[in-house]
Amino acid sequence: NAGVTQTPKFRVLKTGQSMTLLCAQDMNHEYMYWYRQDPGMGLRLIHYSVGEGTTAKGEVPDGYNVSRLKKQNFLLGLESAAPSQTSVYFCASRKGHQGAAGANVLTFGAGSRLTVL
Amino acid sequence: DAKTTQPPSMDCAEGRAANLPCNHSTISGNEYVYWYRQIHSQGPQYIIHGLKNNETNEMASLIITEDRKSSTLILPHATLRDTAVYYCIVRSASGGSYIPTFGRGTSLIVHP
């Protein structure tokens, strides 16, 4: 049981390039999230999904797009990378069933470190 | 969801108990307290959660005050590997579409 897997783990981009980060979970979780974390800061939510085929904006969505075509995968895209998007990106998922405290427990991936030059 | 307040940093000697406080004075009756930790450069890891009774698992103990306005995460015998940022979050069990929000947490340093 792999949990949440993020690929790639590291990437260096030039300004203006595009790329996609993949988050895959094998726990049949409904909810998936993309966060970014900058040095000395907490986690800031970029986009999230409440189920297959749905996406919604979080706190800092500008410059990012997402897709959830399959329940197990949540993709984060950067169409035109900027140095301000240099960060560590974390994906998380949770089961999401109502009435169960355990359903709110988040499982995180190991992170993807992105540098934009 | 109720807001939480944590001290920005704490330190603890190896082998001693680490007691990390969290204030959630606006917590409502159906809201649980969840704790996570983030070891440097890794993804956050779930530790424990509770409603009103004290909880214990293989990682830690959670003590929630009787009025539920604050809680303490206890690492009974802290090791150097427990050095991490610890996050306290409050959330109800009902309702599906909540957005998990992490503040800056408490940076715990365990020293030899």
Side-chain angles (χ1 to χ4, degrees):
Chain A
N1 192 342
V4 176
T5 302
Q6 293 182 228
T7 53
K9 289 185 171 49
F10 302 93
R11 184 73 187 269
V12 178
L13 289 178
K14 294 181 180 179
T15 297
Q17 287 185 318
S18 64
M19 76 158 296
T20 300
L21 299 177
L22 169 64
C23 176
Q25 53 93 5
D26 60 1
M27 299 170 286
N28 201 34
H29 283 179
E30 290 293 331
Y31 293 78
M32 298 186 75
Y33 306 86
W34 274 109
Y35 293 88
R36 61 175 289 173
Q37 186 172 40
D38 300 304
M41 303 284 288
L43 296 158
R44 291 187 292 169
L45 184 66
I46 305 170
H47 286 280
Y48 65 100
S49 169
V50 301
E52 181 178 311
T54 75
T55 63
K57 294 180 180 180
E59 179 187 357
V60 288
D62 293 343
Y64 305 95
N65 57 75
V66 287
S67 64
R68 184 118 181 253
L69 299 180
K70 293 183 179 180
K71 186 176 184 178
Q72 63 267 35
N73 295 336
F74 194 30
L75 279 66
L76 178 71
L78 287 72
E79 291 184 346
S80 179
S84 61
Q85 293 177 304
T86 293
S87 190
V88 181
Y89 293 84
F90 290 101
C91 176
S93 70
R94 68 180 180 97
K95 192 178 297 184
H97 297 150
Q98 287 194 7
N104 285 328
V105 172
L106 293 164
T107 301
F108 281 84
S112 297
R113 185 176 297 275
L114 175 65
T115 301
V116 183
L117 302 175
Chain B
D1 296 323
K3 179 181 169 60
T4 62
T5 304
Q6 299 177 254
S9 64
M10 296 183 65
D11 70 286
C12 172
E14 189 177 20
R16 305 295 294 269
N19 299 299
L20 294 100
C22 180
N23 182 287
H24 30 80
S25 58
T26 60
I27 194 169
S28 61
N30 65 346
E31 287 185 314
Y32 286 74
V33 181
Y34 296 81
W35 282 85
Y36 292 81
R37 75 177 181 184
Q38 185 176 23
I39 297 172
H40 180 64
S41 299
Q42 299 181 19
Q45 173 191 27
Y46 163 78
I47 301 173
I48 197 168
H49 71 275
L51 182 63
K52 54 184 177 181
N53 298 320
N54 298 338
E55 302 287 345
T56 295
N57 63 20
E58 65 277 5
M59 292 181 68
S61 295
L62 175 60
I63 308 297
I64 302 174
T65 58
E66 191 168 344
D67 63 8
R68 303 208 324 116
K69 293 185 176 181
S70 66
S71 60
T72 301
L73 180 74
I74 300 174
L75 308 178
H77 305 287
T79 70
L80 299 179
R81 288 175 294 180
D82 292 322
T83 292
V85 177
Y86 289 78
Y87 299 98
C88 168
I89 296 170
V90 172
R91 168 60 187 166
S92 66
S94 62
S97 57
Y98 101 96
I99 299 175
T101 303
F102 291 76
R104 296 200 178 190
T106 296
S107 175
L108 173 69
I109 297 176
V110 180
H111 54 84

